[in-house]
Amino acid sequence: MSDNQGSSNIAIKVMPENTSIKKTKHLVVSQKNINETMQRYGYCEEIISTINKENLLPCGLLSRLHASYPQHSGFLETQPFLFNDKEHYSGLSGFREVCAILNNNGIDIGHIVEREFFVEVYRFLATRHSLNSINWDDYPTDSVFQLVFPQPKMINDETTQKYIDAKDAKARTQVAIDYTELTNPHDGNQQLNKPWFENDEGEIEFLDGSQHKYPQCQLIFDKTTQNCFSFCTYCFRHAQVRGDEDMFIQKDIKQIHDYVRLHPEITDLLITGGDGGYMPASRLKQYIMPLIEDPSLLHVKNVRLATRSLTFQPEMILSEKYDGMLEVFDLLRDNGIQLAWMAHFSTPRELLNPSTIAAIRRLQNHGVNIRSQSPIMNHISLFMDDNNQVDIEKSARNWIDLAEILGMMCVGFHSMYCARPTGEHHYYTAPLADIEKVFNLVYRSLASINRPSRHISMTISAGKLAILGTSVIDGEKCFALKFTEARNMQWMDRVFHAKYNETENTIDFLTPFDTEKYFFADELKQIEHDLAAALAKKLN
C-alpha cells in the first residue's frame, strides 16, 4: 500500500459518522423557513412562482447571510407585520393614517404636531415594505424609522413653536410655506449646472431637466421620475419631491440626444429624480434605443439608474409587470452598454430581507451591475454614545457589516459621503474629524475587494471633495484633501491641505492650511461668474 493510500485510509477511518451534519449545521434557513417567510410577506402566487423558478432565494445564501449576521437578519422572524393593506402612504393624510395604525397596535410615537410641521415643509412618503422594515419594539433607535419619519428637533425650536401656536390649519400651513424658502434645495449652485445648446434653427435650447457639471456624466431628471417610493428625511433633492417651481424636469428626450451628440466627452447618462426607478420601461427604451442604433452616440458607454427601490419597494422588481424593464436591461447588456444600478444602502437591515435579496439576484441575472453609494448620516448610519460624542466603533461596525454583506451579494460598494448642506443638515451631520475616523476604521478593517471605491467625500460647488486622511506638516496636524470630481477635472490631480478642525461639519468651511485661499478658488469664482452670466444672457 502506498503512503498516499495509507493516508487516505487513516483520514476516512477517523472521520466521525455525523460529519455531514456538522458540515451543514450553519444551513439554518430551510426551504420550509423560506416558504413561511414568503407567506409572512404576503407574496402573491405570481411572485412566489418567480422566486422559485428563478432560484432567487437559495437556502445556502440565506443561511450564510443569517449565520454571519443574525443581529441584522429578518429571515427567521415570525412576528406579524403591522402594515398589510396599502402599498403607499403619502402626505399629511398618509402620515396620520400610519399613526392611527400604530396607535391601534399600542404604539404612540408622540410629537405629532412637530412631526406634521416637517411633513408640510418636506412631504411624507412611505411604502408598506419600509414601514414593515422598522423594529416597532424599539422604533426610536431604528435606522429606517429615522430615515422615513420626521423627528423632533429637526426644524429649529423657534419656527416649530410658531407652527404649534398657529391659530388654525391654514395659519400652520403658511408657517410651513414661509419656512420652505429657507431649506436650500439647490446646494452647491446646482442651477448653474443646467446645460444648453444651439439647435439646427440657431435657437438656444435649455435642458430644464438636466445637469452637466462633470464632463463624463450627464444627470437627467425625467418627467416620470419626479416621485419616490419612500421619502428620506435627509433628502438632498426635496425640490423635486415637493414640486418646487425651480425643480429640474426633463420632458423632451430628443433634446437629450441632440445635446449629447455635441458632447463626445459624455460617457454616462445618470437617470435620477426623485427616484429613477419610477421610469417606465417604455420611457427608458426611448432613451436607450438611439444609443444603440445611432453611431453618433457611440461614446455613451453607461446608463446609470439612481434608485432606492431595493430598500423601499423591492417587490416591484419581482412582479411580472417588471418583465418589460428586464427586457430593456437585457437589450443594454447585449449591445455593450452597462446598466449601473446606483442603490443607496446605509444599513445591513435594508438588505437582509427576502424581498431585497430576491430582487438583487433577479436584476443580476439580467446583467445589471448594482453599486451602493450611501450618505453617512447621524441617527441612521452614524451613532452617538451616552456623552453625545460620535461612537466610532459602533458607527464603523455598521459600515463594515454592510460592506461584507454587499460583497457576499456581489454588489459593489461605491462610496460613502457626508451630508450635503441642504434641508435639516444640522440634524444629520457630525464633525468631519469624527467621520474621518469612522471611515478610516471601516477602510482598514475590510479586505481591499470590499472597500468603498473612493474616500469619504462631500459635494460642493467646486466638485466632490474627499478627505484622504490627516498629515502633520511642521508639527501641525491638517486634513489632506483631493477632488474625486471637479468643475475643472485637472483639479483632481492635486492633493492639498486644510487646517485640522475637530468641530466643523462642512468641507466648504475648512480653512486652507498654508495659503490664504485654496488653489482653485479664483478659477472657481470665474467659472461660476461665467456660467451665471451666460445663463442670464440666454434667459434674456
Side-chain angles (χ1 to χ4, degrees), residues 130-175:
S130 56
L131 292 169
N132 285 332
S133 298
I134 296 168
N135 175 11
W136 290 107
D137 291 332
D138 187 23
Y139 66 87
T141 63
D142 187 278
S143 292
V144 178
F145 179 72
Q146 292 280 341
L147 179 63
V148 300
F149 276 78
Q151 303 298 324
K153 302 297 182 182
M154 280 186 167
I155 299 177
N156 69 79
D157 291 342
E158 181 181 353
T159 310
T160 299
Q161 195 59 50
K162 188 184 297 184
Y163 180 86
I164 292 171
D165 293 340
K167 61 181 179 180
D168 53 31
K170 183 178 180 181
R172 284 194 295 273
T173 297
Q174 188 58 52
V175 174

Side-chain angles (χ1 to χ4, degrees), residues 298-312:
L298 195 61
H299 52 286
V300 179
K301 303 294 192 293
N302 309 297
V303 174
R304 306 188 208 175
L305 199 64
T307 173
R308 295 211 67 175
S309 53
L310 285 171
T311 289
F312 293 141

Side-chain angles (χ1 to χ4, degrees), residues 71 73 75 224 234:
Q71 71 274 30
S73 171
F75 298 139
T224 64
Y234 61 70

Side-chain angles (χ1 to χ4, degrees), residues 364-379:
Q364 290 172 332
N365 288 344
H366 291 268
V368 175
N369 291 320
I370 304 172
R371 293 176 172 85
S372 180
Q373 54 182 20
S374 312
I376 183 165
M377 311 296 284
N378 194 11
H379 310 287

